[in-house]
Amino acid sequence: MTPAFPGHSSVPGTADLDNPLYYLENFETVVRWVRQHHSDLLTADETRYIDNLLALKRPERALLARMVMRSGELFRVEKLNYPELGQPVADTAKALARNGWIDDTPDLHLADLFRLFTLAELRPALADRISAAGLPPRAAKGLLRDTLIPTHPDPAAVDYWLPGFPARVIRLNHMHLFDRLRLMFFGNLRQSWSDFVLVELGHQQYEQVPLSSESRAFDERDDVDRYLVMHHCRERLDQGESPEAVWQDVPATNTNPWLESRRGRLLFELAKLADRGGNTELALAAYRQSSHREARLRQLRLLERRQQHREAWDLARAAADVCGFGREERGLERILSRLARKLGETAPQPSTRPELTVFTLKLDNPDGRSVEWVTMEHLSKPEAPVAYVENTLINGLFGLLCWRALFAPIPGAFFHPFHTGPADLHREDFVERRQALFDECLSALTTDDYKTGIRNTWHEKQGIASPFVIWPVLSEDLLNLALECIPARHLELMFRRLLDNLREHRSGFPDLIRFQPGHSDPDRRYEMIEVKGPGDRLQDHQTRWLEFCVSHGIPVSVCYVRWNEAVE
């Protein structure tokens, strides 16, 4: 199913699901691939562990793979039922314990027991502790857990917690190694071992991009380490650990733009949590270090709340003096206006903006459907059909026209067969590295050939994952109407704005599009309409798209919907 890999037999493929040990084949595909192509990023101990793993007997490798692919690191042996091993799980687990892959006598915290055992199993074993805590014998599991865990903080063996209970618990060792292998293979920890299965089942398809021997996610071990540290920091925040504790372990800044972007997102989330918890000093420090697109505005608003108006003013003025701060423009203008009044300063003149076309509808909504859907049905007519597309249509047309550029085999963009898009999509040099390819794709808009090209790609790539094409929404009828009604000149304008900042400009498009194929003016055979219900207002990124369209003669409007009294 995969193209040839220069210098090697093939890129990693997926196992046949008719094979009872398909999961082991997929697991070992990752392990062997990293062992072969990333050996310079592995320590001697890691290499030794991998070689030891691959030398295990097949049932042992299979059980190990099963546990790695499951959630958590603790398992009850009697709950593991894998007949395809060809031998008892208990015997296989003993062999893994002898080789150091599992701990068959782990100490457990009481919280672990509540995850592993049922209430019926725990009640008799914990009866004395339940009584001592003053709880009724039939207390619910949640109450027992919340009451007993804080009073029993130390881990102990299963026999201590559940004396005489016939249960055997094992702990998977070296899970950090398997996370590292998965990260080095996929280039992220969002994707999992199940991606192989999804492909084989036909639930997911990926564009098969030719790979080279240089195709891999990481070139420096330090980058892998930093990614893992930041991932664990984010997990700790999500699990409720304090921002103050996590802050101590956030890596320092470095020169890798991709990892700096991840660090910026981590610091942004940490800052928000610190702010909510009342630690505004920590929140400010984290916002200052974060490169997240919203961090500076959040920092300025926090400075305002802390009455640090002069510091906020100086920071906002410095930001406003920098060219190309577009996404922050409206927010900065509002902050500067407020601060100017408080400090007796002269607020900068707001930038001149085009006037938006606005209209209002009063509608019924007895079924409580979304405001966009009700508006679409109200506006739609046989001669002027309306579709609810939001960010899917223009992005989809762009993705189809520029498919070749987006999936070009650029070094570092693709390094396994399961990419939904290029790994460097949001890096600053993404377009620059493919500029000639994008120019060539957009040049097709000078003739009607682009319509044939887009339709052909729609048919040829149907269902293949893309960061821009949402297949269930982009039907053939919608595609044909869009190609018939939207002028190529308008498409080029919107596509070039997309390319200016793919991360930010992929969102903010109007909700609806109304087609009017019979209109005498070819520039007015469609209109994009942003819908706002009661109490809703335009967001800055939406306003920027609307004003861009108005400035370039692209037909757009804003529809404010008010419900009739019966609905209100």
Side-chain angles (χ1 to χ4, degrees), residues 206-224:
Y206 299 94
E207 180 75 345
Q208 294 303 296
V209 180
L211 304 179
S212 72
S213 55
E214 290 78 33
S215 298
R216 60 184 197 171
F218 298 94
D219 291 319
E220 301 289 340
R221 181 178 175 86
D222 181 63
D223 289 345
V224 182

Side-chain angles (χ1 to χ4, degrees), residues 29 45 51 92 144 199 235 253 273 305 309 326 338 347 366 376 385 396 420 464 509 524 532 564:
T29 292
D45 281 344
D51 292 343
T92 311
L144 293 179
V199 170
E235 283 187 326
T253 186
L273 289 170
R305 294 204 329 261
H309 298 141
R338 292 195 300 268
M376 177 191 73
T420 58
I464 294 177
F509 288 99
R524 291 293 180 269
K532 289 297 172 188
N564 287 321

Side-chain angles (χ1 to χ4, degrees), residues 123-337:
R123 269 192 180 131
L126 300 177
D128 290 344
R129 293 181 174 87
I130 293 172
S131 176
L135 297 173
R138 307 300 296 175
K141 191 174 185 178
L143 177 59
L144 293 179
R145 182 179 58 243
D146 294 344
T147 304
L148 296 180
I149 288 175
T151 61
H152 298 80
D154 298 324
V158 175
D159 289 343
Y160 170 80
W161 296 114
L162 308 175
F165 191 87
R168 183 180 170 202
V169 176
I170 57 177
R171 185 191 302 276
L172 175 64
N173 292 331
H174 311 302
M175 192 60 201
H176 61 280
L177 172 62
F178 298 114
D179 284 341
R180 181 178 292 271
L181 295 176
R182 181 162 59 94
L183 172 60
M184 292 166 74
F185 181 84
F186 286 113
N188 63 75
L189 288 174
R190 297 186 310 276
Q191 290 178 276
S192 69
W193 315 97
S194 63
D195 278 54
F196 288 85
V197 180
L198 293 174
V199 170
E200 196 63 26
L201 288 172
H203 296 331
Q204 183 64 283
Q205 301 176 62
Y206 299 94
E207 180 75 345
Q208 294 303 296
V209 180
L211 304 179
S212 72
S213 55
E214 290 78 33
S215 298
R216 60 184 197 171
F218 298 94
D219 291 319
E220 301 289 340
R221 181 178 175 86
D222 181 63
D223 289 345
V224 182
D225 293 340
R226 290 174 62 81
Y227 188 111
L228 288 167
V229 169
M230 289 189 288
H231 177 77
H232 293 143
C233 284
R234 182 57 191 268
E235 283 187 326
R236 289 162 60 192
L237 288 176
D238 292 343
Q239 291 164 5
E241 192 168 343
S242 74
E244 290 78 9
V246 175
W247 169 257
Q248 305 301 319
D249 296 324
V250 175
T253 186
N254 83 337
T255 58
N256 185 311
W258 172 48
L259 291 175
E260 276 303 288
S261 175
R262 294 191 65 84
R263 180 175 180 271
R265 294 198 297 274
L266 170 63
L267 288 169
F268 183 71
E269 293 304 318
L270 188 148
K272 288 196 297 182
L273 289 170
D275 192 6
R276 287 179 203 147
N279 190 342
T280 56
E281 286 289 345
L282 175 57
L284 279 176
Y287 281 137
R288 288 188 184 109
Q289 289 192 32
S290 174
S291 59
H292 190 278
R293 60 187 179 277
E294 297 179 31
R296 182 156 48 190
L297 289 179
R298 291 262 188 166
Q299 178 188 351
L300 287 167
R301 293 181 190 124
L302 182 51
L303 287 170
E304 280 190 279
R305 294 204 329 261
R306 286 166 54 98
Q307 306 296 309
Q308 294 175 242
H309 298 141
R310 177 58 61 181
E311 183 179 347
W313 171 265
D314 292 341
L315 177 62
R317 282 305 306 265
D321 289 339
V322 176
C323 295
F325 61 80
R327 66 175 180 262
E328 297 178 286
E329 181 177 359
R330 275 69 173 179
L332 283 171
E333 286 181 355
R334 289 191 290 268
I335 289 171
L336 285 168
S337 178

Side-chain angles (χ1 to χ4, degrees), residues 401-402 404-405 431 434-446 492 496 499:
L401 180 69
C402 298
R404 187 162 54 86
V431 175
R434 300 158 176 83
Q435 191 65 63
L437 286 169
F438 279 118
D439 288 343
E440 186 177 331
C441 290
L442 295 184
S443 70
L445 294 166
T446 58
E492 182 176 0
R496 290 200 180 278
L499 288 170

Side-chain angles (χ1 to χ4, degrees), residues 21-167:
L21 295 174
Y22 68 90
Y23 58 89
L24 175 60
E25 187 177 333
N26 291 335
F27 174 71
E28 292 187 346
T29 292
V30 172
V31 174
R32 292 180 189 277
W33 184 262
V34 175
R35 174 69 176 86
Q36 181 176 3
H37 299 288
H38 300 74
S39 58
D40 59 316
L41 305 186
L42 298 169
T43 66
D45 281 344
E46 289 165 349
T47 302
R48 179 171 51 83
Y49 278 124
I50 292 172
D51 292 343
N52 175 274
L53 183 160
L54 295 173
L56 295 171
K57 294 179 180 178
R58 186 166 67 173
E60 297 158 19
R61 301 198 312 272
L63 179 58
L64 188 61
R66 280 291 196 188
M67 291 190 292
V68 169
M69 294 177 181
R70 289 181 56 163
S71 176
E73 299 176 19
L74 291 168
F75 305 94
R76 291 176 61 178
V77 173
E78 66 272 16
K79 298 292 185 180
L80 300 175
N81 182 28
Y82 302 123
E84 74 276 4
L85 300 182
Q87 64 185 45
V89 168
D91 294 344
T92 311
K94 287 179 181 177
L96 287 175
R98 286 194 299 270
N99 283 280
W101 288 104
I102 64 171
D103 179 358
D104 57 359
T105 57
D107 284 346
L108 307 181
H109 287 91
L110 190 53
D112 298 322
L113 263 71
F114 276 97
R115 286 193 295 270
L116 291 169
F117 293 87
T118 67
L119 181 56
E121 292 170 326
L122 290 172
R123 269 192 180 131
L126 300 177
D128 290 344
R129 293 181 174 87
I130 293 172
S131 176
L135 297 173
R138 307 300 296 175
K141 191 174 185 178
L143 177 59
L144 293 179
R145 182 179 58 243
D146 294 344
T147 304
L148 296 180
I149 288 175
T151 61
H152 298 80
D154 298 324
V158 175
D159 289 343
Y160 170 80
W161 296 114
L162 308 175
F165 191 87

